[in-house]
Amino acid sequence: MRIVFGFLAAAMLAVVAPVSAHHSFAAQYDANQPVTLTGVVTKVEWTNPHARFYINVKDADGQTTTWNLELASPNYLKRAGWSSTSLKEGDEVTVEGSLARSGANMANARMVTFADGTRVFARSSADGA
Amino acid sequence: MRRSILTAVALAGGTLALAGHAQQVPVASTAPAGSGGANNPSLAGTVPDAPAPRLPDGTPDLSGVWVGGGPVGDIRDGLMPGEEIALLPAAEALMKSRMAADDPEARCLPTGVPRTAPYPWRIVQTPAFGKATHLFFLFEGNIHSYRQIFMDGREHPDDLEATWYGHSVGHWEGETLVIETVGFNDLFWFDFVGHPHTTQLRTVERYTRTNMGTLENVTTVSDPGAYLKPFTIKFTATLRPGWELMEYICNENNQDVEHIRGPAGL
């Protein structure tokens, strides 16, 4: 299921991708600062202008940090085959994205990999929504 | 559910190579569920290879859900051949001073004109048959708002208060809908890079549906308060058959502004 919706989301990209979001991607995120985060989803916000989800990431010392991860807007996600329950609290995920310029524990999520190894393309403002 | 979504994937097969997983995608035959309904692009029809439609009285029919048709990142992207943007010194200084976080669109405020949000919008005319007295541009984003274009022959009133979308009157010139708009405030930007304007802004938009799926917008921007001379831009909107507008309440959870850094145009 997740595999499939990942395919779908990726497949839809070429169909629905606009040129940018309601803000300049580069003004908020640094494409030269890629980040890969692994953690457990603690909250999903199916909200505008971006859907967001939060994960708790444990470092080598066992310290937990919460990261705020940006997706596209719900309307674009829906058109790409997502729903508000595609990501759920408790899911173990690895997220690939770009760090926020502000230095906050925030990134845009470009790719989400689930515990079963499924890689899901996650639309974000980098891709135009 | 699984079968149904697989169908959507199969229907979208033309783009699957992008995902690099095409070889793993099986084929199924039922419609997707829970994946956007009428808004799922896989369910939407492809744009027929057909001429632009007409109303029963022969007027071009521009109705439909469109994406694009105006500047998003940089208005200069649409400059017609031979056109240039010549900022007056004060406007140039204003533009250079603008920070990306101050872009009203990032703050969930309207685009104004001629800027376009990267979200679908719908043209509606009323009455739907016969001579329209009003045209509406319904915007999914940014924000969930509309423009009202008076088609009944009225003129701009002389007591206009400045607004985000101004006062628009339209008429037909052959195949082209011509919309003249004045009465703008000076709050919106033309693009991400922060091209400015003043309340002297006047736009003349010329919309031509060149075929079923294409809507050309040639707009002349005149603002003697900010630009040395008028300039003309062209952007093209494309039809999204089968799409419906969806809700987009931008200021619901806008965490972006506090994390945006640097000058406009980054």
Side-chain angles (χ1 to χ4, degrees):
Chain A
M1 172 67 183
R2 281 170 179 161
I3 297 173
V4 173
F5 106 76
F7 290 154
L8 179 59
M12 290 302 122
L13 173 64
V15 179
V16 300
V19 291
S20 57
H22 77 121
H23 61 81
S24 161
F25 169 80
Q28 186 170 354
Y29 298 101
D30 188 348
N32 295 319
Q33 293 285 325
V35 63
T36 300
L37 301 160
T38 298
V40 176
V41 176
T42 60
K43 185 167 65 169
V44 177
E45 295 175 340
W46 187 254
T47 57
N48 290 300
H50 299 282
R52 295 182 175 282
F53 64 103
Y54 300 78
I55 63 173
N56 278 347
V57 179
K58 275 189 183 173
D59 65 18
D61 299 326
Q63 298 295 311
T64 298
T65 305
T66 300
W67 282 78
N68 176 344
L69 302 168
E70 176 188 297
L71 298 167
S73 56
N75 48 2
Y76 266 98
L77 290 170
K78 194 75 177 174
R79 289 188 176 104
W82 288 63
S83 77
S84 58
T85 57
S86 295
L87 271 171
K88 297 182 193 67
E89 191 177 323
D91 283 346
E92 288 185 31
V93 294
T94 296
V95 178
E96 297 161 62
S98 298
L99 286 174
R101 291 184 180 278
S102 67
N105 292 328
M106 171 183 272
N108 83 305
R110 183 175 297 106
M111 187 74 73
V112 178
T113 304
F114 287 88
D116 64 2
T118 304
R119 280 165 65 85
V120 176
F121 187 84
R123 292 180 55 77
S124 69
S125 63
D127 312 304
Chain B
M1 179 66 177
R2 183 180 174 86
R3 275 181 64 85
S4 63
I5 291 182
L6 288 172
T7 303
V9 174
L11 290 170
T15 58
L16 280 172
L18 288 176
H21 302 299
Q23 71 282 1
Q24 301 175 40
V25 179
V27 177
S29 61
T30 55
S35 55
N39 288 297
N40 188 317
S42 70
L43 289 180
T46 54
V47 179
D49 182 15
R54 291 179 183 280
L55 298 171
D57 70 352
T59 306
D61 180 1
L62 306 189
S63 63
V65 173
W66 303 92
V67 171
V72 176
D74 191 332
I75 197 170
R76 289 172 293 197
D77 295 341
L79 278 172
M80 296 282 278
E83 295 288 310
E84 64 173 345
I85 288 183
L87 286 154
L88 294 173
E92 187 171 8
L94 174 61
M95 185 174 167
K96 284 181 177 172
S97 74
R98 286 185 158 170
M99 303 297 288
D102 295 329
D103 182 356
E105 187 168 335
R107 294 172 176 269
C108 295
L109 289 165
T111 59
V113 179
R115 190 174 184 173
T116 304
Y119 297 98
W121 55 286
R122 180 185 281 281
I123 295 180
V124 175
Q125 66 172 51
T126 181
F129 297 97
K131 287 295 180 191
T133 57
H134 296 68
L135 279 174
F136 292 94
F137 290 1
L138 307 182
F139 301 120
E140 179 171 299
N142 175 63
I143 57 177
H144 216 54
S145 60
Y146 64 90
R147 285 181 66 192
Q148 175 173 238
I149 295 103
F150 298 112
M151 299 292 292
D152 56 3
R154 76 182 70 182
E155 298 181 345
H156 298 303
D158 55 14
D159 60 347
L160 281 176
E161 302 291 350
T163 56
W164 290 86
Y165 294 118
H167 184 273
S168 297
V169 295
H171 67 276
W172 291 96
E173 291 183 3
E175 302 299 304
T176 300
L177 170 68
V178 181
I179 301 174
E180 300 176 40
T181 308
V182 296
F184 292 108
N185 67 30
D186 61 0
L187 300 177
F188 55 93
W189 298 8
F190 285 161
D191 46 31
F192 283 149
V193 300
H195 279 98
H197 67 280
T198 71
T199 56
Q200 297 177 61
L201 173 65
R202 176 176 182 270
T203 61
V204 180
E205 299 155 89
R206 295 175 176 273
Y207 290 92
T208 308
R209 190 171 190 169
T210 55
N211 57 42
M212 179 64 78
T214 307
L215 183 65
E216 291 183 354
N217 173 16
V218 176
T219 296
T220 298
V221 176
S222 307
D223 183 355
Y227 296 91
L228 187 61
K229 57 185 179 181
F231 58 90
T232 299
I233 52 175
K234 177 182 175 181
F235 288 90
T236 301
T238 52
L239 188 70
R240 293 295 189 271
W243 281 31
E244 302 291 353
L245 297 186
M246 299 175 75
E247 188 170 289
Y248 179 80
I249 307 301
C250 180
N251 54 7
E252 178 180 34
N253 182 24
N254 186 9
Q255 301 182 25
D256 299 324
V257 171
E258 62 184 290
H259 296 283
I260 292 175
R261 295 291 184 273
L266 186 65

mmCIF file of all heavy atoms in Angstrom, chain B residues 119-158:
data_model
loop_
_atom_site.group_PDB
_atom_site.id
_atom_site.type_symbol
_atom_site.label_atom_id
_atom_site.label_comp_id
_atom_site.label_asym_id
_atom_site.label_seq_id
_atom_site.Cartn_x
_atom_site.Cartn_y
_atom_site.Cartn_z
ATOM 1 N N TYR B 119 -1.474 27.506 -7.848
ATOM 2 C CA TYR B 119 -2.621 26.660 -7.504
ATOM 3 C C TYR B 119 -3.692 26.863 -8.572
ATOM 4 O O TYR B 119 -3.719 27.884 -9.251
ATOM 5 C CB TYR B 119 -3.171 27.030 -6.121
ATOM 6 C CG TYR B 119 -2.174 26.782 -5.024
ATOM 7 C CD1 TYR B 119 -1.395 27.809 -4.527
ATOM 8 C CD2 TYR B 119 -1.996 25.511 -4.512
ATOM 9 C CE1 TYR B 119 -0.446 27.580 -3.545
ATOM 10 C CE2 TYR B 119 -1.056 25.266 -3.534
ATOM 11 C CZ TYR B 119 -0.283 26.300 -3.050
ATOM 12 O OH TYR B 119 0.648 26.063 -2.088
ATOM 13 N N PRO B 120 -4.588 25.903 -8.694
ATOM 14 C CA PRO B 120 -5.610 26.028 -9.733
ATOM 15 C C PRO B 120 -6.570 27.184 -9.476
ATOM 16 O O PRO B 120 -6.750 27.617 -8.333
ATOM 17 C CB PRO B 120 -6.346 24.683 -9.648
ATOM 18 C CG PRO B 120 -5.449 23.769 -8.877
ATOM 19 C CD PRO B 120 -4.678 24.644 -7.954
ATOM 20 N N TRP B 121 -7.153 27.658 -10.541
ATOM 21 C CA TRP B 121 -8.192 28.687 -10.439
ATOM 22 C C TRP B 121 -9.234 28.426 -11.506
ATOM 23 O O TRP B 121 -8.968 27.781 -12.511
ATOM 24 C CB TRP B 121 -7.589 30.082 -10.558
ATOM 25 C CG TRP B 121 -6.764 30.335 -11.772
ATOM 26 C CD1 TRP B 121 -5.496 29.875 -12.029
ATOM 27 C CD2 TRP B 121 -7.126 31.116 -12.919
ATOM 28 N NE1 TRP B 121 -5.068 30.322 -13.256
ATOM 29 C CE2 TRP B 121 -6.041 31.082 -13.832
ATOM 30 C CE3 TRP B 121 -8.261 31.848 -13.256
ATOM 31 C CZ2 TRP B 121 -6.060 31.747 -15.058
ATOM 32 C CZ3 TRP B 121 -8.276 32.514 -14.477
ATOM 33 C CH2 TRP B 121 -7.188 32.459 -15.365
ATOM 34 N N ARG B 122 -10.417 28.903 -11.272
ATOM 35 C CA ARG B 122 -11.520 28.615 -12.184
ATOM 36 C C ARG B 122 -12.112 29.915 -12.719
ATOM 37 O O ARG B 122 -12.282 30.876 -11.969
ATOM 38 C CB ARG B 122 -12.611 27.808 -11.467
ATOM 39 C CG ARG B 122 -13.805 27.467 -12.348
ATOM 40 C CD ARG B 122 -14.927 26.775 -11.568
ATOM 41 N NE ARG B 122 -14.702 25.366 -11.307
ATOM 42 C CZ ARG B 122 -14.880 24.380 -12.194
ATOM 43 N NH1 ARG B 122 -15.250 24.667 -13.435
ATOM 44 N NH2 ARG B 122 -14.680 23.128 -11.855
ATOM 45 N N ILE B 123 -12.420 29.921 -13.995
ATOM 46 C CA ILE B 123 -13.164 31.035 -14.575
ATOM 47 C C ILE B 123 -14.638 30.650 -14.621
ATOM 48 O O ILE B 123 -14.992 29.581 -15.120
ATOM 49 C CB ILE B 123 -12.666 31.373 -15.996
ATOM 50 C CG1 ILE B 123 -11.210 31.874 -15.944
ATOM 51 C CG2 ILE B 123 -13.575 32.422 -16.650
ATOM 52 C CD1 ILE B 123 -10.632 32.230 -17.313
ATOM 53 N N VAL B 124 -15.457 31.507 -14.065
ATOM 54 C CA VAL B 124 -16.906 31.302 -14.051
ATOM 55 C C VAL B 124 -17.552 32.550 -14.620
ATOM 56 O O VAL B 124 -17.162 33.671 -14.278
ATOM 57 C CB VAL B 124 -17.428 31.093 -12.611
ATOM 58 C CG1 VAL B 124 -18.948 31.000 -12.596
ATOM 59 C CG2 VAL B 124 -16.813 29.845 -11.999
ATOM 60 N N GLN B 125 -18.500 32.375 -15.496
ATOM 61 C CA GLN B 125 -19.230 33.538 -15.970
ATOM 62 C C GLN B 125 -20.707 33.382 -15.610
ATOM 63 O O GLN B 125 -21.230 32.278 -15.561
ATOM 64 C CB GLN B 125 -19.065 33.710 -17.460
ATOM 65 C CG GLN B 125 -19.677 32.606 -18.303
ATOM 66 C CD GLN B 125 -19.630 32.990 -19.757
ATOM 67 O OE1 GLN B 125 -18.583 33.370 -20.267
ATOM 68 N NE2 GLN B 125 -20.764 32.900 -20.413
ATOM 69 N N THR B 126 -21.324 34.489 -15.365
ATOM 70 C CA THR B 126 -22.728 34.433 -15.021
ATOM 71 C C THR B 126 -23.468 35.581 -15.707
ATOM 72 O O THR B 126 -22.963 36.699 -15.709
ATOM 73 C CB THR B 126 -22.931 34.488 -13.494
ATOM 74 O OG1 THR B 126 -24.321 34.396 -13.212
ATOM 75 C CG2 THR B 126 -22.368 35.746 -12.884
ATOM 76 N N PRO B 127 -24.609 35.346 -16.321
ATOM 77 C CA PRO B 127 -25.208 34.015 -16.441
ATOM 78 C C PRO B 127 -24.360 33.104 -17.318
ATOM 79 O O PRO B 127 -23.549 33.573 -18.113
ATOM 80 C CB PRO B 127 -26.560 34.306 -17.090
ATOM 81 C CG PRO B 127 -26.356 35.562 -17.845
ATOM 82 C CD PRO B 127 -25.409 36.376 -17.018
ATOM 83 N N ALA B 128 -24.554 31.815 -17.153
ATOM 84 C CA ALA B 128 -23.709 30.850 -17.835
ATOM 85 C C ALA B 128 -23.992 30.820 -19.336
ATOM 86 O O ALA B 128 -23.139 30.448 -20.127
ATOM 87 C CB ALA B 128 -23.916 29.462 -17.234
ATOM 88 N N PHE B 129 -25.199 31.214 -19.711
ATOM 89 C CA PHE B 129 -25.544 31.237 -21.134
ATOM 90 C C PHE B 129 -25.983 32.644 -21.497
ATOM 91 O O PHE B 129 -26.594 33.340 -20.708
ATOM 92 C CB PHE B 129 -26.653 30.224 -21.440
ATOM 93 C CG PHE B 129 -26.223 28.817 -21.162
ATOM 94 C CD1 PHE B 129 -26.547 28.204 -19.967
ATOM 95 C CD2 PHE B 129 -25.449 28.131 -22.074
ATOM 96 C CE1 PHE B 129 -26.126 26.919 -19.703
ATOM 97 C CE2 PHE B 129 -25.020 26.839 -21.821
ATOM 98 C CZ PHE B 129 -25.360 26.233 -20.626
ATOM 99 N N GLY B 130 -25.662 33.022 -22.694
ATOM 100 C CA GLY B 130 -25.977 34.382 -23.096
ATOM 101 C C GLY B 130 -24.882 35.320 -22.648
ATOM 102 O O GLY B 130 -23.810 34.914 -22.222
ATOM 103 N N LYS B 131 -25.163 36.601 -22.756
ATOM 104 C CA LYS B 131 -24.138 37.596 -22.455
ATOM 105 C C LYS B 131 -23.880 37.664 -20.953
ATOM 106 O O LYS B 131 -24.778 37.956 -20.162
ATOM 107 C CB LYS B 131 -24.593 38.969 -22.951
ATOM 108 C CG LYS B 131 -24.552 39.103 -24.469
ATOM 109 C CD LYS B 131 -23.124 39.024 -24.991
ATOM 110 C CE LYS B 131 -23.093 39.165 -26.519
ATOM 111 N NZ LYS B 131 -21.754 38.831 -27.052
ATOM 112 N N ALA B 132 -22.659 37.389 -20.580
ATOM 113 C CA ALA B 132 -22.315 37.444 -19.163
ATOM 114 C C ALA B 132 -22.312 38.888 -18.680
ATOM 115 O O ALA B 132 -21.852 39.788 -19.376
ATOM 116 C CB ALA B 132 -20.945 36.815 -18.940
ATOM 117 N N THR B 133 -22.824 39.095 -17.491
ATOM 118 C CA THR B 133 -22.713 40.402 -16.851
ATOM 119 C C THR B 133 -21.522 40.439 -15.901
ATOM 120 O O THR B 133 -21.015 41.504 -15.568
ATOM 121 C CB THR B 133 -23.985 40.718 -16.057
ATOM 122 O OG1 THR B 133 -24.200 39.682 -15.093
ATOM 123 C CG2 THR B 133 -25.180 40.809 -16.990
ATOM 124 N N HIS B 134 -21.121 39.264 -15.438
ATOM 125 C CA HIS B 134 -19.990 39.159 -14.527
ATOM 126 C C HIS B 134 -19.131 37.958 -14.919
ATOM 127 O O HIS B 134 -19.658 36.935 -15.353
ATOM 128 C CB HIS B 134 -20.435 38.927 -13.079
ATOM 129 C CG HIS B 134 -21.226 40.041 -12.489
ATOM 130 N ND1 HIS B 134 -22.488 40.375 -12.915
ATOM 131 C CD2 HIS B 134 -20.934 40.895 -11.475
ATOM 132 C CE1 HIS B 134 -22.937 41.397 -12.195
ATOM 133 N NE2 HIS B 134 -22.015 41.735 -11.331
ATOM 134 N N LEU B 135 -17.855 38.122 -14.743
ATOM 135 C CA LEU B 135 -16.947 36.978 -14.774
ATOM 136 C C LEU B 135 -16.286 36.903 -13.412
ATOM 137 O O LEU B 135 -15.975 37.938 -12.798
ATOM 138 C CB LEU B 135 -15.857 37.160 -15.836
ATOM 139 C CG LEU B 135 -16.184 36.835 -17.295
ATOM 140 C CD1 LEU B 135 -15.003 37.241 -18.168
ATOM 141 C CD2 LEU B 135 -16.470 35.358 -17.469
ATOM 142 N N PHE B 136 -16.084 35.696 -12.948
ATOM 143 C CA PHE B 136 -15.369 35.508 -11.693
ATOM 144 C C PHE B 136 -14.150 34.629 -11.928
ATOM 145 O O PHE B 136 -14.228 33.629 -12.630
ATOM 146 C CB PHE B 136 -16.265 34.857 -10.633
ATOM 147 C CG PHE B 136 -17.383 35.744 -10.168
ATOM 148 C CD1 PHE B 136 -18.633 35.674 -10.762
ATOM 149 C CD2 PHE B 136 -17.176 36.665 -9.160
ATOM 150 C CE1 PHE B 136 -19.672 36.507 -10.361
ATOM 151 C CE2 PHE B 136 -18.203 37.505 -8.748
ATOM 152 C CZ PHE B 136 -19.449 37.432 -9.351
ATOM 153 N N PHE B 137 -13.053 35.036 -11.353
ATOM 154 C CA PHE B 137 -11.882 34.170 -11.253
ATOM 155 C C PHE B 137 -11.885 33.666 -9.817
ATOM 156 O O PHE B 137 -11.728 34.451 -8.876
ATOM 157 C CB PHE B 137 -10.582 34.944 -11.498
ATOM 158 C CG PHE B 137 -10.374 35.411 -12.917
ATOM 159 C CD1 PHE B 137 -11.301 35.177 -13.919
ATOM 160 C CD2 PHE B 137 -9.196 36.087 -13.248
ATOM 161 C CE1 PHE B 137 -11.090 35.610 -15.226
ATOM 162 C CE2 PHE B 137 -8.974 36.520 -14.554
ATOM 163 C CZ PHE B 137 -9.919 36.287 -15.545
ATOM 164 N N LEU B 138 -12.090 32.392 -9.656
ATOM 165 C CA LEU B 138 -12.098 31.802 -8.316
ATOM 166 C C LEU B 138 -10.740 31.167 -8.065
ATOM 167 O O LEU B 138 -10.309 30.291 -8.819
ATOM 168 C CB LEU B 138 -13.189 30.741 -8.201
ATOM 169 C CG LEU B 138 -14.601 31.164 -8.595
ATOM 170 C CD1 LEU B 138 -15.576 30.001 -8.377
ATOM 171 C CD2 LEU B 138 -15.047 32.382 -7.808
ATOM 172 N N PHE B 139 -10.083 31.608 -7.028
ATOM 173 C CA PHE B 139 -8.726 31.138 -6.748
ATOM 174 C C PHE B 139 -8.721 30.129 -5.613
ATOM 175 O O PHE B 139 -9.241 30.406 -4.535
ATOM 176 C CB PHE B 139 -7.820 32.311 -6.348
ATOM 177 C CG PHE B 139 -7.717 33.386 -7.392
ATOM 178 C CD1 PHE B 139 -8.118 34.686 -7.118
ATOM 179 C CD2 PHE B 139 -7.216 33.100 -8.647
ATOM 180 C CE1 PHE B 139 -8.016 35.682 -8.068
ATOM 181 C CE2 PHE B 139 -7.107 34.094 -9.617
ATOM 182 C CZ PHE B 139 -7.506 35.385 -9.322
ATOM 183 N N GLU B 140 -8.096 28.976 -5.875
ATOM 184 C CA GLU B 140 -7.879 28.018 -4.764
ATOM 185 C C GLU B 140 -6.845 28.594 -3.793
ATOM 186 O O GLU B 140 -6.984 28.527 -2.597
ATOM 187 C CB GLU B 140 -7.400 26.693 -5.347
ATOM 188 C CG GLU B 140 -7.111 25.633 -4.308
ATOM 189 C CD GLU B 140 -6.844 24.295 -4.940
ATOM 190 O OE1 GLU B 140 -7.740 23.774 -5.627
ATOM 191 O OE2 GLU B 140 -5.737 23.756 -4.770
ATOM 192 N N GLY B 141 -5.778 29.142 -4.345
ATOM 193 C CA GLY B 141 -4.761 29.799 -3.531
ATOM 194 C C GLY B 141 -4.379 31.055 -4.265
ATOM 195 O O GLY B 141 -4.779 31.225 -5.401
ATOM 196 N N ASN B 142 -3.625 31.917 -3.834
ATOM 197 C CA ASN B 142 -3.184 32.104 -2.489
ATOM 198 C C ASN B 142 -3.677 33.491 -2.102
ATOM 199 O O ASN B 142 -2.951 34.436 -2.331
ATOM 200 C CB ASN B 142 -1.636 32.047 -2.470
ATOM 201 C CG ASN B 142 -1.015 32.333 -1.154
ATOM 202 O OD1 ASN B 142 -1.230 31.596 -0.233
ATOM 203 N ND2 ASN B 142 -0.263 33.400 -1.052
ATOM 204 N N ILE B 143 -4.792 33.788 -1.746
ATOM 205 C CA ILE B 143 -5.567 32.975 -0.836
ATOM 206 C C ILE B 143 -6.846 32.470 -1.518
ATOM 207 O O ILE B 143 -7.061 32.739 -2.692
ATOM 208 C CB ILE B 143 -5.935 33.816 0.385
ATOM 209 C CG1 ILE B 143 -6.694 35.054 -0.067
ATOM 210 C CG2 ILE B 143 -4.702 34.209 1.147
ATOM 211 C CD1 ILE B 143 -7.179 35.940 1.041
ATOM 212 N N HIS B 144 -7.630 31.748 -0.806
ATOM 213 C CA HIS B 144 -8.924 31.265 -1.224
ATOM 214 C C HIS B 144 -9.807 32.495 -1.462
ATOM 215 O O HIS B 144 -10.525 32.946 -0.580
ATOM 216 C CB HIS B 144 -9.483 30.462 -0.043
ATOM 217 C CG HIS B 144 -10.264 29.259 -0.425
ATOM 218 N ND1 HIS B 144 -9.781 28.281 -1.235
ATOM 219 C CD2 HIS B 144 -11.501 28.864 -0.067
ATOM 220 C CE1 HIS B 144 -10.689 27.326 -1.360
ATOM 221 N NE2 HIS B 144 -11.744 27.655 -0.664
ATOM 222 N N SER B 145 -9.722 33.066 -2.674
ATOM 223 C CA SER B 145 -10.390 34.343 -2.907
ATOM 224 C C SER B 145 -10.870 34.411 -4.349
ATOM 225 O O SER B 145 -10.836 33.406 -5.056
ATOM 226 C CB SER B 145 -9.433 35.502 -2.599
ATOM 227 O OG SER B 145 -8.291 35.422 -3.430
ATOM 228 N N TYR B 146 -11.283 35.576 -4.777
ATOM 229 C CA TYR B 146 -11.826 35.681 -6.130
ATOM 230 C C TYR B 146 -11.586 37.074 -6.693
ATOM 231 O O TYR B 146 -11.366 38.027 -5.956
ATOM 232 C CB TYR B 146 -13.334 35.381 -6.134
ATOM 233 C CG TYR B 146 -14.149 36.378 -5.340
ATOM 234 C CD1 TYR B 146 -14.653 37.524 -5.958
ATOM 235 C CD2 TYR B 146 -14.399 36.203 -3.987
ATOM 236 C CE1 TYR B 146 -15.378 38.459 -5.244
ATOM 237 C CE2 TYR B 146 -15.116 37.128 -3.261
ATOM 238 C CZ TYR B 146 -15.610 38.251 -3.894
ATOM 239 O OH TYR B 146 -16.312 39.185 -3.180
ATOM 240 N N ARG B 147 -11.611 37.155 -8.011
ATOM 241 C CA ARG B 147 -11.693 38.440 -8.700
ATOM 242 C C ARG B 147 -13.048 38.528 -9.373
ATOM 243 O O ARG B 147 -13.561 37.532 -9.886
ATOM 244 C CB ARG B 147 -10.597 38.569 -9.758
ATOM 245 C CG ARG B 147 -9.219 38.845 -9.208
ATOM 246 C CD ARG B 147 -8.219 38.975 -10.351
ATOM 247 N NE ARG B 147 -8.476 40.157 -11.190
ATOM 248 C CZ ARG B 147 -7.892 40.359 -12.367
ATOM 249 N NH1 ARG B 147 -7.028 39.475 -12.848
ATOM 250 N NH2 ARG B 147 -8.163 41.444 -13.069
ATOM 251 N N GLN B 148 -13.578 39.732 -9.403
ATOM 252 C CA GLN B 148 -14.886 39.992 -10.007
ATOM 253 C C GLN B 148 -14.670 40.948 -11.185
ATOM 254 O O GLN B 148 -14.127 42.041 -11.007
ATOM 255 C CB GLN B 148 -15.769 40.632 -8.937
ATOM 256 C CG GLN B 148 -17.123 41.090 -9.384
ATOM 257 C CD GLN B 148 -17.952 41.543 -8.189
ATOM 258 O OE1 GLN B 148 -19.032 41.025 -7.948
ATOM 259 N NE2 GLN B 148 -17.440 42.492 -7.433
ATOM 260 N N ILE B 149 -15.078 40.523 -12.357
ATOM 261 C CA ILE B 149 -14.886 41.348 -13.554
ATOM 262 C C ILE B 149 -16.261 41.732 -14.093
ATOM 263 O O ILE B 149 -17.060 40.851 -14.445
ATOM 264 C CB ILE B 149 -14.065 40.593 -14.622
ATOM 265 C CG1 ILE B 149 -12.652 40.333 -14.107
ATOM 266 C CG2 ILE B 149 -13.999 41.388 -15.911
ATOM 267 C CD1 ILE B 149 -12.382 38.943 -13.642
ATOM 268 N N PHE B 150 -16.531 43.010 -14.152
ATOM 269 C CA PHE B 150 -17.838 43.481 -14.621
ATOM 270 C C PHE B 150 -17.856 43.508 -16.143
ATOM 271 O O PHE B 150 -17.024 44.155 -16.776
ATOM 272 C CB PHE B 150 -18.140 44.860 -14.049
ATOM 273 C CG PHE B 150 -18.214 44.870 -12.544
ATOM 274 C CD1 PHE B 150 -17.247 45.522 -11.797
ATOM 275 C CD2 PHE B 150 -19.247 44.219 -11.879
ATOM 276 C CE1 PHE B 150 -17.319 45.539 -10.405
ATOM 277 C CE2 PHE B 150 -19.313 44.218 -10.492
ATOM 278 C CZ PHE B 150 -18.345 44.871 -9.754
ATOM 279 N N MET B 151 -18.838 42.826 -16.712
ATOM 280 C CA MET B 151 -18.942 42.681 -18.172
ATOM 281 C C MET B 151 -20.153 43.421 -18.721
ATOM 282 O O MET B 151 -20.534 43.236 -19.877
ATOM 283 C CB MET B 151 -19.053 41.194 -18.539
ATOM 284 C CG MET B 151 -17.862 40.342 -18.127
ATOM 285 S SD MET B 151 -16.353 40.715 -19.047
ATOM 286 C CE MET B 151 -16.825 40.131 -20.687
ATOM 287 N N ASP B 152 -20.786 44.241 -17.883
ATOM 288 C CA ASP B 152 -22.057 44.855 -18.283
ATOM 289 C C ASP B 152 -21.888 46.260 -18.845
ATOM 290 O O ASP B 152 -22.862 46.996 -18.993
ATOM 291 C CB ASP B 152 -23.016 44.868 -17.095
ATOM 292 C CG ASP B 152 -22.428 45.570 -15.882
ATOM 293 O OD1 ASP B 152 -21.290 46.101 -15.985
ATOM 294 O OD2 ASP B 152 -23.087 45.577 -14.825
ATOM 295 N N GLY B 153 -20.675 46.627 -19.147
ATOM 296 C CA GLY B 153 -20.470 47.913 -19.796
ATOM 297 C C GLY B 153 -20.211 49.069 -18.865
ATOM 298 O O GLY B 153 -19.949 50.188 -19.315
ATOM 299 N N ARG B 154 -20.257 48.833 -17.593
ATOM 300 C CA ARG B 154 -20.004 49.924 -16.651
ATOM 301 C C ARG B 154 -18.559 50.398 -16.740
ATOM 302 O O ARG B 154 -17.689 49.708 -17.278
ATOM 303 C CB ARG B 154 -20.328 49.476 -15.226
ATOM 304 C CG ARG B 154 -19.290 48.562 -14.612
ATOM 305 C CD ARG B 154 -19.677 48.099 -13.229
ATOM 306 N NE ARG B 154 -20.812 47.165 -13.260
ATOM 307 C CZ ARG B 154 -21.362 46.654 -12.173
ATOM 308 N NH1 ARG B 154 -20.917 47.000 -10.969
ATOM 309 N NH2 ARG B 154 -22.362 45.807 -12.266
ATOM 310 N N GLU B 155 -18.314 51.576 -16.193
ATOM 311 C CA GLU B 155 -16.958 52.113 -16.160
ATOM 312 C C GLU B 155 -16.416 52.047 -14.734
ATOM 313 O O GLU B 155 -17.168 51.764 -13.785
ATOM 314 C CB GLU B 155 -16.955 53.547 -16.680
ATOM 315 C CG GLU B 155 -17.426 53.638 -18.133
ATOM 316 C CD GLU B 155 -17.389 55.056 -18.655
ATOM 317 O OE1 GLU B 155 -17.279 55.998 -17.831
ATOM 318 O OE2 GLU B 155 -17.467 55.221 -19.895
ATOM 319 N N HIS B 156 -15.156 52.334 -14.599
ATOM 320 C CA HIS B 156 -14.591 52.387 -13.245
ATOM 321 C C HIS B 156 -15.240 53.548 -12.487
ATOM 322 O O HIS B 156 -15.364 54.653 -13.031
ATOM 323 C CB HIS B 156 -13.082 52.635 -13.304
ATOM 324 C CG HIS B 156 -12.294 51.565 -14.005
ATOM 325 N ND1 HIS B 156 -12.330 50.248 -13.626
ATOM 326 C CD2 HIS B 156 -11.453 51.626 -15.068
ATOM 327 C CE1 HIS B 156 -11.534 49.542 -14.419
ATOM 328 N NE2 HIS B 156 -11.003 50.353 -15.310
ATOM 329 N N PRO B 157 -15.644 53.355 -11.262
ATOM 330 C CA PRO B 157 -16.174 54.486 -10.486
ATOM 331 C C PRO B 157 -15.048 55.459 -10.131
ATOM 332 O O PRO B 157 -13.874 55.107 -10.173
ATOM 333 C CB PRO B 157 -16.734 53.807 -9.231
ATOM 334 C CG PRO B 157 -16.014 52.513 -9.122
ATOM 335 C CD PRO B 157 -15.654 52.095 -10.520
ATOM 336 N N ASP B 158 -15.422 56.667 -9.802
ATOM 337 C CA ASP B 158 -14.389 57.669 -9.491
ATOM 338 C C ASP B 158 -14.125 57.775 -7.990
ATOM 339 O O ASP B 158 -13.372 58.641 -7.562
ATOM 340 C CB ASP B 158 -14.764 59.026 -10.082
ATOM 341 C CG ASP B 158 -16.132 59.486 -9.632
ATOM 342 O OD1 ASP B 158 -16.659 58.898 -8.664
ATOM 343 O OD2 ASP B 158 -16.673 60.427 -10.245
#
